[in-house]
């Protein structure tokens, strides 16, 4: 078989697999929306995060169904989901696990590792900024390396492994803000806003009665892993690659020109470009397309870049926002 024939065969296989994935992802979105009313963008960004193989940071005030969303995602996508409520007294061992001393029938003693809640396929880290830096670091290191080390022994985390962490943007007293280097490990920052009137009306009617709507499983773990591999195989055109590079490089103080001059303390690194490259493919897939466009780059610019940039004191005093700067930079690449 010639190389050209092999490439054609590979393309046909990718298209066939993608078409099957499109139908499955559509059913998964519908199943999630039977429980989560409104919040279409939040649901889509959460699915994009998981299909891209990354972790997400959900930012919103209490009572906006963030916990319910993670539980529903776990059920619909066929993942083992767990939740940890972060508190100041939470220790790394409370998340990672610990060794306990066992004594057998022959009175011989040995250590046995008891896995912590991090050994889940989908972990909700609720109010992650309420835990101490030591505990945050233990979780975020595991997120990056996909294993934990306890007493010198390595323990691999399950595959897939995703963390959806939450933060309350209002009540910051007694919290430990995540360092910038650790924020960079989240693929997307997903801002969760209030539902619109129609969605809130539906919430009132459907969640205060006797019945309780429960989602059903649509995907299996193996099916999800196959879709994650497919996302990495989807083609990306040169115009999209250039748009990603133009956007990310323009968001750096040294290269951004007059738009960001004197406004940014630091900007996104290459991990932001990698995150955009994966996320635009996943967004195209959940919208029924087999290749991303520049519009996908524009739509995902803020979720990818917002937590990877910081304003100068002068810019904040002038009323600038990260969202405003990213919006103007994204508008430039759309021209």
């Amino acid at each position: 078989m010639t190389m050209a024939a092999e490439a054609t065969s590979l393309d046909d296989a990718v298209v066939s697999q993608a078409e099957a994935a499109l139908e499955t992802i559509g059913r998964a979105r519908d199943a999630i929306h039977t429980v989560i009313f409104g919040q279409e963008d939040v649901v889509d960004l959460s699915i994009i995060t998981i299909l891209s193989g990354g972790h997400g940071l959900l930012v919103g005030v209490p009572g906006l169904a963030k916990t319910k969303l993670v539980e529903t995602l776990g059920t619909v996508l066929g993942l083992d989901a767990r939740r940890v409520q972060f508190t100041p007294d939470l220790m790394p061992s409370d998340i990672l696990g610990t060794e306990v001393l066992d004594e057998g029938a022959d009175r011989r003693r040995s250590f046995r590792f008891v896995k912590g809640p991090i050994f889940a396929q989908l972990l909700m880290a609720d109010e992650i900024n309420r835990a101490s830096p030591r505990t945050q670091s233990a979780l975020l290191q595991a997120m990056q390396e996909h294993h934990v080390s306890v007493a010198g022994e390595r323990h691999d985390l399950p595959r897939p492994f995703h963390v959806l962490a939450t933060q309350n943007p209002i009540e910051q007293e007694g919290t430990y803000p995540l360092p910038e280097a650790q924020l960079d490990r989240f693929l997307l920052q997903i801002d969760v806003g209030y539902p619109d009137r129609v969605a809130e009306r539906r919430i009132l009617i459907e969640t205060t009665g006797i019945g309780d709507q429960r989602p059903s499983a649509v995907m299996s773990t193996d099916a999800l892993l196959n879709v994650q591999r497919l996302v990495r195989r989807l083609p990306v055109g040169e115009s999209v690659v250039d748009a990603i590079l133009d956007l990310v490089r323009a968001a750096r103080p040294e290269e951004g020109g007059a738009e960001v001059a004197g406004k940014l303390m630091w900007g996104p690194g290459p991990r932001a470009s990698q995150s955009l490259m994966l996320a635009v493919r996943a967004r195209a897939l959940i919208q029924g397309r087999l290749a991303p466009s520049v519009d996908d780059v524009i739509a995902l610019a803020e979720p990818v870049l917002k937590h990877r940039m910081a304003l100068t004191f002068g810019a904040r005093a002038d009323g600038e926002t990260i969202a405003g700067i990213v919006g103007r930079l994204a508008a430039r690449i759309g021209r």
Side-chain angles (χ1 to χ4, degrees):
M1 183 182 290
T2 65
M3 291 186 66
E6 287 178 352
T8 302
S9 176
L10 177 62
D11 291 343
D12 291 342
V14 171
V15 170
S16 176
Q17 186 181 359
E19 289 174 346
L22 293 178
E23 191 270 336
T24 303
I25 293 169
R27 288 193 292 115
R29 292 173 75 193
D30 292 341
I32 292 169
H33 283 299
T34 62
V35 179
I36 306 298
F37 309 131
Q39 306 288 15
E40 285 83 3
D41 289 342
V42 173
V43 170
D44 283 354
L45 290 173
S46 300
I47 296 174
I48 288 169
T49 299
I50 293 175
L51 295 187
S52 302
H55 311 288
L57 182 63
L58 297 162
V59 179
V61 300
L64 297 180
K66 297 187 292 295
T67 301
K68 190 71 171 178
L69 171 62
V70 177
E71 292 174 353
T72 304
L73 282 168
T75 300
V76 172
L77 301 180
L79 300 175
D80 171 29
R82 300 183 189 179
R83 173 178 174 270
V84 176
Q85 178 67 52
F86 278 58
T87 57
D89 60 347
L90 196 72
M91 299 296 291
S93 59
D94 295 328
I95 298 173
L96 306 183
T98 187
E99 286 198 324
V100 298
L101 184 62
D102 278 347
E103 184 173 324
D106 57 359
R107 303 191 67 82
R108 289 188 177 181
R109 296 178 178 179
S110 61
F111 284 100
R112 174 173 58 90
F113 178 64
V114 178
K115 294 180 178 180
I118 198 173
F119 286 86
Q121 293 170 325
L122 180 62
L123 177 69
M124 180 177 186
D126 210 355
E127 295 194 278
I128 189 172
N129 55 333
R130 294 209 171 276
S132 68
R134 181 181 178 189
T135 302
Q136 291 176 2
S137 297
L139 171 64
L140 291 157
Q141 182 178 355
M143 287 166 50
Q144 182 69 21
E145 299 178 359
H146 290 270
H147 72 265
V148 303
S149 296
V150 177
E153 293 292 326
R154 170 175 168 150
H155 303 275
D156 290 330
L157 295 172
R159 297 275 182 174
F161 171 68
H162 303 282
V163 173
L164 292 179
T166 71
Q167 280 192 173
N168 178 354
I170 297 174
E171 189 182 353
Q172 296 297 321
E173 185 175 349
T175 63
Y176 302 87
L178 293 173
E180 290 71 24
Q182 295 182 352
L183 280 172
D184 193 38
R185 296 179 183 179
F186 289 98
L187 184 90
L188 301 180
Q189 176 178 320
I190 304 169
D191 291 336
V192 185
Y194 294 107
D196 60 30
R197 185 181 180 89
V198 173
E200 192 161 1
R201 179 184 179 86
R202 188 180 173 194
I203 291 170
L204 288 176
I205 294 171
E206 299 197 22
T207 63
T208 59
I210 298 175
D212 185 16
Q213 185 72 37
R214 295 186 179 276
S216 57
V218 173
M219 300 179 72
S220 65
T221 301
D222 289 340
L224 177 60
L225 288 170
N226 286 335
V227 175
Q228 289 178 344
R229 285 190 286 267
L230 172 65
V231 166
R232 289 180 172 268
R233 297 175 68 186
L234 291 181
V236 181
E238 286 298 321
S239 62
V240 177
V241 175
D242 288 338
I244 291 172
L245 288 171
D246 290 345
L247 175 64
V248 174
R249 297 181 72 85
R252 296 170 183 164
E254 302 83 1
E255 303 177 52
E259 191 68 55
V260 299
K263 298 176 182 178
L264 294 177
M265 296 175 66
W266 63 81
R271 191 177 287 164
S273 304
Q274 295 171 320
S275 297
L276 260 175
M277 192 75 163
L278 288 170
V280 295
R281 289 165 164 160
R283 185 176 190 269
L285 197 61
I286 70 171
Q287 293 196 345
R289 293 177 281 115
L290 301 183
S293 68
V294 174
D295 289 340
D296 295 313
V297 180
I298 295 171
L300 291 169
E302 186 177 332
V304 170
L305 298 181
K306 191 172 183 179
H307 57 298
R308 294 181 163 102
M309 303 164 63
L311 293 171
T312 61
F313 293 110
R316 279 187 285 177
D318 292 338
E320 283 283 5
T321 64
I322 292 293
I325 291 176
V326 172
R328 293 194 294 272
L329 295 177
R332 280 171 42 185
I333 68 169
R335 293 172 188 163

